[in-house]
Structure formats: structure tokens, C-alpha cells
Amino acid sequence: MELYATRVLNIPRTSVLLVTLGFFLNGTSSSKCTEEGKWSPDIPACARITCPPPPVPKFALLKDYRPSAGNNSLYQDTVVFKCLPHFAMIGNDTVMCTEQGNWTRLPECLEVKCPFPPRPENGYVNYPAKPVLLYKDKATFGCHETYKLDGPEEAECTKTGTWSFLPTCRESCKLPVKKATVLYQGMRVKIQEQFKNGMMHGDKIHFYCKNKEKKCSYTVEAHCRDGTIEIPSCFKEHSSLAFWKTDASELTPC
Ligand SMILES: *[C@@H]1O[C@H](CO)[C@@H](O)[C@H](O)[C@H]1NC(C)=O
Ligand SMILES: *[C@@H]1O[C@H](CO)[C@@H](O)[C@H](O)[C@H]1NC(C)=O
Ligand SMILES: *[C@@H]1O[C@H](CO)[C@@H](O)[C@H](O)[C@H]1NC(C)=O
Ligand SMILES: *[C@@H]1O[C@H](CO)[C@@H](O)[C@H](O)[C@H]1NC(C)=O
């Protein structure tokens, strides 16, 4: 006697059979007790739900496939697919053996091409020397001196056939101030020494400004953005002729 049939409900002269999850009744789901003392039709067999080996989509591989019931898989078993290199997976890489004895929707592996990535102005790009660039291929970018990339150096060809990022080269800033002591990354530096060759895109400095009434100083931030920096209007360049005057950077902070 198999224990797979979990319950038998006795309704006069008829029985309804129920099965545990993962099993099915191979045959009729209800049977009648006849005058001859026999079940009619025959009581069904209780059988495990199995799925045949899953079909492998084009350009895909099965990862670590181990059938758990002879050559078949059992209900709720899963298998995982992988695409061949440079093929992009569309859909779920994991499929499951269903109650119907078939697999959930199989994924697809598609060949995805990306256009050649453009060279950024004032910079360069490198990519594999191949006739076509495919999913997962990489491109690296750089800028000529005094220019700075506004993003990561490396981009990847994505599933959608576009590059993950196409950076541009941002210009550095020429400073319109000849001499000044400023704050740069928390340190006092001389602008004429630190930024002899200009400031790189994205760099930030703090200028010292004077509060004349209170005779103290405060700082105002300036930011180099693609070749442009705005000098705070409160900043006064200290003339070397006015040597008796105290520079804002030498006053106590307000
Ligand atoms: C279901 O029963 C039929 C008839 O007895 C048998 O041939 C078949 O193999 C059974 N199927 C399963 C999945 O056990
Ligand atoms: C599995 O499949 C192989 C090849 O088709 C066959 O020879 C073998 O008998 C099968 N094994 C079982 C347990 O069904
Ligand atoms: C992929 O399928 C598995 C098994 O059917 C499921 O557990 C999982 O949630 C699915 N993943 C996604 C992202 O849909
Ligand atoms: C599985 O089989 C059922 C019943 O035959 C069917 O309705 C369903 O579409 C099938 N599922 C897949 C993913 O083929």
C-alpha cells in the first residue's frame, strides 16, 4: 500500500482521491464501488510528477544538470542555463519542472552587437580590433593632457546593444587670479603654485574673503566645470604693492 494518497473521502458509494504535492493520479480521479465489490473504473496509480530533460535553447548551455529521477527531473527541480560567450540572455536563466510535467519558459540567447564607440573630443578610445563588437566587449577611454573624463574609463557593450557609458573630455580651467592663498582639499595652498597648469574639471577650491566690519575671514567655494570657474565676487586679489594690508587668508576665521 502506497502512502501517497493522503486522504480518501468516503461519500456513499464514491471516493475522491487526493494526492500530495509532487504526485499525480495516473488515471481517474474518482471511482465508484460497484455491486460486485470492485472499484470502477480502477483506482488510479499514484505517480511522481516528472519532466523530461529540458530542451537547450540555441547558443545556450546547461549548467550542472543532474536529473534526479533516472533521466528525468522531479516536480520543482530547477535547471540553470548559460549563454555562450558574447550571447545575451533574455528571460530567466532558471527554469523549473511544473505540475504539468513541462518546464517553465526557457530563456533565449541572442547575439547582440554594439556600434563602434565614438572617440571623445580631446581624447581617445580603445576597443578590440574585431569586425563587430558584441555583448560584454569593452572599450576604454582617455583624455589628452589638461582634459578630464567625466565618467568611468571603461564601458561595456550591454544587452540592449548600447554602451554602458560614453564619456566626454572636460576642459581644465585657467585661473584669472595670479596670486592667492586658497583652501584645496582642506589644505592652504598657493594658487600660483598648486594650479600653475590650471585646475582640472571637477576640482574645487575655497577662496578667502574679508568681513571688513568684524575684521575676520570666511571662505567661498569655487568649482571648475568644463573650462569655467567663477571667482567669488567677495574675493579681492592682494596687490603686492599694498604690502601693508593684511590678506584675507591671514585673518582669523569669522
Ligand atoms: C500512467 O499509467 C499508464 C497505464 O498504466 C502507464 O503506461 C504510464 O507509464 C503511467 N505514467 C506514469 C507517468 O507513471
Ligand atoms: C536514460 O537514457 C538512456 C539513453 O537514452 C537509456 O539508455 C537509459 O536506459 C535511460 N535510463 C533510464 C533510467 O531511463
Ligand atoms: C526565475 O525562475 C525561478 C524558477 O522558476 C524563480 O524562482 C525566480 O524567481 C525567477 N527569477 C526571476 C528574476 O524572475
Ligand atoms: C505546459 O503544459 C501545459 C499543459 O499542457 C500548457 O498549458 C503550458 O503552456 C505548458 N507550459 C510551457 C511553458 O510550455
Side-chain angles (χ1 to χ4, degrees), residues 77-79 91-97 104-105:
D77 277 356
T78 55
V79 299
N92 195 333
D93 69 343
T94 306
V95 300
M96 200 171 70
C97 177
T104 53
R105 200 186 169 84

Side-chain angles (χ1 to χ4, degrees), residues 16-93:
V16 179
L17 298 166
L18 301 171
V19 286
T20 353
L21 203 64
F23 292 84
F24 76 106
L25 291 175
N26 189 4
T28 177
S29 64
S30 74
S31 192
K32 204 171 163 184
C33 185
T34 62
E35 309 280 306
E36 295 99 64
K38 281 187 179 161
W39 288 107
S40 177
D42 281 345
I43 294 274
C46 186
R48 275 185 175 272
I49 296 171
T50 59
C51 288
V56 179
K58 233 176 147 184
F59 309 121
L61 297 169
L62 263 176
K63 228 162 75 180
D64 314 322
Y65 171 62
R66 253 176 257 107
S68 54
N71 286 337
N72 296 332
S73 299
L74 293 174
Y75 171 61
Q76 282 186 334
D77 277 356
T78 55
V79 299
V80 180
F81 291 100
K82 227 176 86 173
C83 289
L84 298 178
H86 294 296
F87 285 85
M89 184 167 288
I90 310 298
N92 195 333
D93 69 343

Side-chain angles (χ1 to χ4, degrees), residues 172-184 189-200 203-207 221-225 227-232 235 237:
S172 60
C173 296
K174 289 223 161 38
L175 284 159
V177 175
K178 284 198 192 70
K179 277 183 168 182
T181 298
V182 296
L183 265 182
Y184 174 62
V189 299
K190 288 195 161 56
I191 216 171
Q192 63 275 24
E193 289 167 11
Q194 184 78 34
F195 301 108
K196 259 196 301 251
N197 305 315
M199 252 172 98
M200 292 305 273
D203 271 351
K204 285 176 190 168
I205 54 175
H206 285 83
F207 282 94
E221 188 181 86
H223 195 165
C224 172
R225 285 192 186 90
T228 310
I229 185 164
E230 207 174 302
I231 307 299
F235 171 78
E237 192 165 356

Side-chain angles (χ1 to χ4, degrees), residues 109-175:
C109 293
L110 300 181
E111 189 183 58
V112 173
K113 290 177 192 159
C114 276
F116 291 107
R119 181 182 73 81
E121 220 180 300
N122 303 301
Y124 53 87
V125 59
N126 290 312
Y127 47 80
K130 302 197 297 184
V132 285
L133 297 181
L134 300 171
Y135 175 58
K136 291 273 183 198
D137 273 332
K138 287 172 177 57
T140 54
F141 300 88
C143 294
H144 301 147
E145 231 179 307
T146 78
Y147 286 82
K148 192 176 169 185
L149 273 185
D150 66 348
E153 275 176 26
E154 193 177 83
E156 200 177 83
C157 174
T158 67
K159 278 186 188 185
T160 55
T162 56
W163 292 94
S164 55
F165 192 78
L166 289 175
T168 53
C169 290
R170 302 293 193 173
E171 214 178 329
S172 60
C173 296
K174 289 223 161 38
L175 284 159

